[in-house]
Amino acid sequence: MLHIIDIHKTFNPGTINEKAALNGVNFYLDDGDFCTVIGGNGAGKSTMLNAVAGVWPIDEGVILLDNKNITGVPEHKRAAYLGRVFQDPMTGTASTMEIQENLALAARRGKSRTLGWGITRQEKEKYRELLKMLELGLEERLTSKVGLLSGGQRQALTLFMATLQQPRLLLLDEHTAALDPKTAEKVLKVTDKIIAENHLTALMVTHNMKDAIAHGNRLIMMHEGKVILNISGEEKKKLTVADLMHQFEAASGEEFTNDKAILA
Amino acid sequence: MSYFLTLNPLNLINALPGCIAQGLIWGIMALGVYVTFRLLNFADLTVDGSFATGGAVTVMLTLAGFPVPVALLIAVIAGLASGLITGLLHTSLGIPPILAGILTQIALYSVNLHIMDMSANKAISVQKYQLLISLMHVPGAILTGGIFAAFLIIILYWYFGTEQGSSIRATGCNPAMSKANGININFTKVLALSISNGIVCLAGGLMAQYQGFADINMGRGSIVIGLAAVIIGEVFGDALFRKHMNFALRMVFIVLGGVIYYIVVGIVLWLKLNSNDLKLFTALIVAIFLAVPYLQGKRRNSFLRTAKASEAALKAMNDREVN
């Protein structure tokens, strides 16, 4: 359903800050795949996710979603198919707006914004019911400004918003990296639940090898702007952190030096 | 002492109604500034030009025989167009917000001269034309100004509650989130700038009728007066209503902010300050009202305060040890 074919992206070409972030990335996802993406700092994980989201145009290559070429579709139009959660809890929600207003904005993802009410009474009732699923007590705070929520609550809310209007593909960009371990675990649990219940196809970037192994049915590892490892099925189920590090060294010819990924 | 004897309280009282009427018109203008400055988070300097455009279009069309409401409506359309230009300069050509506004503002100076047949001001007589608002009849002017402000607040309250209005607010608050949720932020920015300048032109049209002429310089410094009204209104509103401050109340207070500003100006003129110093004075007021919330926050949350508090705590601890 998602085909990434030989995509390239170089930032600041022709300057001293030139950085080839993606050097021919290839992989595909089937319907219902939940794929984790790992790799060291600067491997191109987030860049690849941003390429799929259409944050900027890529230099070369093709991105197909449901066999439709979306390579030239701008970000706000691509949003119709994509649910996104970001690394920074501040990015995914509008802090000066109410919780219910944020939900209403997300519910209209991919639809044209008319002069109809921004939020209806039926919607408010619906959100109150749906938010109970998060078990964060947000259903009692529908009219609170999102800026009053904690980072974990904001991430859970963003995740909820990203899937409120069912996306074809869910993009999670290290969405637990800025949270404390306990909250991160909670948000990951909600992530699993939402993905399973809605049978979503998802790409989840993470720094944490354990999380990458524990979640999803597929795993890809990136290094220097390329996919160097692509694991699925039974092989993924049996995977250990030691295996991963060994495979990384074999595939990249380098020692895995990212402490954060190893220690986590 | 003799200076104070020359000040006649009656003069001040007589001047007040006029201040209120003018304040209401500037309050309407401030609602336009509010749309960009607060909701879109875009400091739009176009308004110094478009305020005069509103006056020029209204006066010239009325002189040409158009009914005043039609002239005013066309002035609003001219405002939408000037906002559109600033919006396109910013979104399509990548010019930073402040500069985009300044460019349109400067261009509008020439455009306004053309509209006014190359003269710096054009008079319009309330005796000859059916003007909606005039300083010759101040109570009526206050009523008309109040009605316009009230209607505008109702319309804006409705609009910013719609899907489209909400997408403008989201754009101002968090562009990245807006894009991820499918909002075309270039479109919402242009839209908000157009709406804002449409409102500013409406206020310009009302002001030209009120004072009985359109002037090429009537918009000079209007961004600062608009900001003054927004900030004064918000400071008073937040102080009075605190957590109960909602969107409609906020807009009411912004209009009142314009009135308060003009009453203060009236007092300053009554104190016989040179009217040439008025701009200096306006800048001072805006600076003070911008600084007040900041200084209040700083007083609650300063190193000086914690220094004193910690010294006291340390002393208490030492005293306890001695005993």
Side-chain angles (χ1 to χ4, degrees):
Chain A
M1 64 88 56
L2 176 72
H3 287 257
I4 308 250
I5 306 162
D6 197 26
I7 62 172
H8 291 256
K9 179 72 185 180
T10 300
F11 291 110
N12 309 310
T15 71
I16 50 163
N17 292 322
E18 182 170 302
K19 164 101 179 98
L22 298 177
N23 295 308
V25 175
N26 280 294
F27 73 93
Y28 74 96
L29 292 182
D30 271 330
D31 243 329
D33 271 350
F34 177 4
C35 180
T36 55
V37 185
I38 52 170
N41 287 324
K45 309 180 298 291
S46 295
T47 310
M48 190 265 292
L49 224 61
N50 285 337
V52 175
V55 175
W56 20 251
I58 53 173
D59 299 336
E60 269 176 66
V62 180
I63 304 169
L64 300 179
L65 189 73
D66 289 329
N67 288 323
K68 209 165 82 186
N69 182 2
I70 60 163
T71 320
V73 178
E75 187 177 4
H76 69 270
K77 284 192 182 153
R78 249 184 248 196
Y81 322 110
L82 305 173
R84 288 163 69 191
V85 185
F86 309 88
Q87 180 172 0
D88 181 355
M90 303 299 139
T91 311
T93 44
S95 59
T96 58
M97 296 173 80
E98 297 170 358
I99 291 177
Q100 57 182 11
E101 287 179 319
N102 272 272
L103 290 168
L105 281 168
R108 286 159 180 75
R109 182 164 49 76
K111 296 177 181 164
S112 62
R113 315 272 163 165
T114 67
L115 292 180
W117 288 115
I119 181 167
T120 62
R121 194 170 300 158
Q122 295 95 299
E123 273 182 277
K124 290 178 191 174
E125 287 307 311
K126 194 177 96 186
Y127 298 153
R128 192 185 296 279
E129 278 308 305
L130 288 173
L131 275 176
K132 285 182 184 158
M133 194 198 98
L134 290 182
E135 293 168 14
L136 291 170
L138 296 182
E139 63 274 10
E140 300 304 322
R141 302 173 65 184
L142 280 177
T143 55
S144 296
K145 297 268 169 14
V146 169
L148 299 170
L149 303 182
S150 69
Q153 288 173 323
R154 283 182 79 157
Q155 280 312 64
L157 182 65
T158 309
L159 184 65
F160 187 74
M161 284 164 59
T163 52
L164 190 57
Q165 164 85 259
Q166 181 138 346
R168 285 298 295 140
L169 176 65
L170 180 63
L171 301 174
L172 307 166
D173 186 3
E174 293 190 48
H175 68 306
T176 59
L179 308 175
D180 65 79
K182 219 172 158 187
T183 314
E185 201 179 312
K186 219 171 164 184
V187 170
L188 273 176
K189 231 176 176 171
V190 177
T191 309
D192 275 343
K193 194 172 163 190
I194 288 181
I195 290 176
E197 277 175 8
N198 299 295
H199 310 290
L200 296 174
T201 311
L203 261 177
M204 179 171 93
V205 171
T206 174
H207 249 111
N208 187 317
M209 288 203 178
K210 270 192 209 150
D211 287 343
I213 292 168
H215 299 269
N217 65 327
R218 294 194 38 194
L219 181 151
I220 59 175
M221 185 183 255
M222 292 187 70
H223 182 64
E224 290 180 347
K226 280 188 171 135
V227 175
I228 56 165
L229 207 59
N230 193 336
I231 300 171
S232 59
E234 285 303 309
E235 200 187 344
K236 162 93 173 31
K237 282 182 192 158
K238 287 188 230 139
L239 208 59
T240 64
V241 171
D243 285 344
L244 263 184
M245 278 164 53
H246 188 72
Q247 297 226 36
F248 175 84
E249 280 155 28
S252 70
E254 284 176 38
E255 219 170 296
F256 201 98
T257 50
N258 192 339
D259 290 351
K260 201 174 158 194
I262 296 166
L263 294 173
Chain B
M1 198 62 213
S2 59
Y3 163 74
F4 288 103
L5 289 174
T6 63
L7 299 176
N8 183 352
L10 262 178
N11 287 347
L12 180 61
I13 290 163
N14 286 336
L16 269 184
C19 294
I20 293 171
Q22 277 199 69
L24 280 171
I25 298 173
W26 282 105
I28 291 170
M29 188 270 177
L31 287 175
V33 172
Y34 174 69
V35 169
T36 44
F37 183 63
R38 285 284 192 241
L39 297 183
L40 190 65
N41 196 16
F42 186 119
D44 177 30
L45 300 184
T46 315
V47 296
D48 277 26
S50 58
F51 189 75
T53 307
V57 170
T58 307
V59 167
M60 294 309 285
L61 289 179
T62 305
L63 291 176
F66 283 78
V68 176
V70 176
L72 208 49
L73 187 71
I74 295 172
V76 171
I77 293 168
L80 296 174
S82 22
L84 179 78
I85 302 287
T86 303
L88 291 178
L89 285 175
H90 173 58
T91 58
S92 298
L93 302 179
I95 297 169
I98 303 250
L99 264 177
I102 290 176
L103 289 179
T104 314
Q105 180 201 118
I106 283 292
L108 281 176
Y109 187 87
S110 299
V111 173
N112 293 342
L113 275 176
H114 277 283
I115 292 172
M116 295 200 290
D117 276 340
M118 292 300 168
S119 63
N121 58 63
K122 283 276 180 187
I124 187 160
S125 156
V126 69
Q127 270 94 32
K128 273 170 97 189
Y129 298 91
Q130 292 260 315
L131 299 185
L132 298 175
I133 187 167
S134 168
L135 53 71
M136 304 302 238
H137 185 58
V138 173
I142 292 175
L143 187 68
T144 312
I147 290 170
F148 266 96
F151 262 107
L152 198 59
I153 287 173
I154 291 167
I155 292 170
L156 290 176
Y157 185 78
W158 162 77
Y159 181 73
F160 285 102
T162 66
E163 292 178 346
Q164 203 174 74
S166 299
S167 68
I168 290 178
R169 288 191 291 142
T171 305
C173 176
N174 188 342
M177 173 268 191
S178 302
K179 283 194 274 184
N181 282 291
I183 294 167
N184 181 351
I185 64 165
N186 284 345
F187 174 72
T188 47
K189 280 180 183 174
V190 172
L191 193 61
L193 284 163
S194 289
I195 292 169
S196 165
N197 281 287
I199 296 169
V200 170
C201 269
L202 172 73
L206 290 174
M207 182 53 78
Q209 292 179 56
Y210 178 80
Q211 62 192 14
F213 62 92
D215 187 283
I216 190 69
N217 288 321
M218 66 188 276
R220 183 169 289 172
S222 59
I223 179 68
V224 184
I225 299 176
L227 284 180
V230 170
I231 292 155
I232 293 171
E234 285 184 338
V235 167
F236 276 94
D238 285 333
L240 286 173
F241 283 88
R242 293 176 190 280
K243 280 184 179 165
H244 302 289
M245 188 79 165
N246 63 26
F247 185 51
L249 264 177
R250 190 167 292 270
M251 289 193 286
V252 170
F253 269 96
I254 286 167
V255 175
L256 289 180
V259 175
I260 295 169
Y261 171 79
Y262 259 84
I263 289 175
V264 175
V265 168
I267 293 170
V268 168
L269 290 178
W270 175 69
L271 290 171
K272 297 187 180 159
L273 260 68
N274 190 335
S275 64
N276 289 326
D277 292 335
L278 217 53
K279 300 263 193 244
L280 174 67
F281 177 73
T282 306
L284 267 176
I285 295 187
V286 175
I288 290 168
F289 273 89
L290 275 173
V292 163
Y294 173 76
L295 291 178
Q296 274 177 339
K298 229 182 149 183
R299 208 179 54 184
R300 278 192 295 271
N301 193 15
S302 78
F303 282 108
L304 201 66
R305 197 192 64 78
T306 47
K308 280 183 195 156
S310 60
E311 282 300 328
L314 213 54
K315 192 166 173 293
M317 277 182 238
N318 288 336
D319 289 351
R320 227 173 295 142
E321 260 169 48
V322 171
N323 294 332

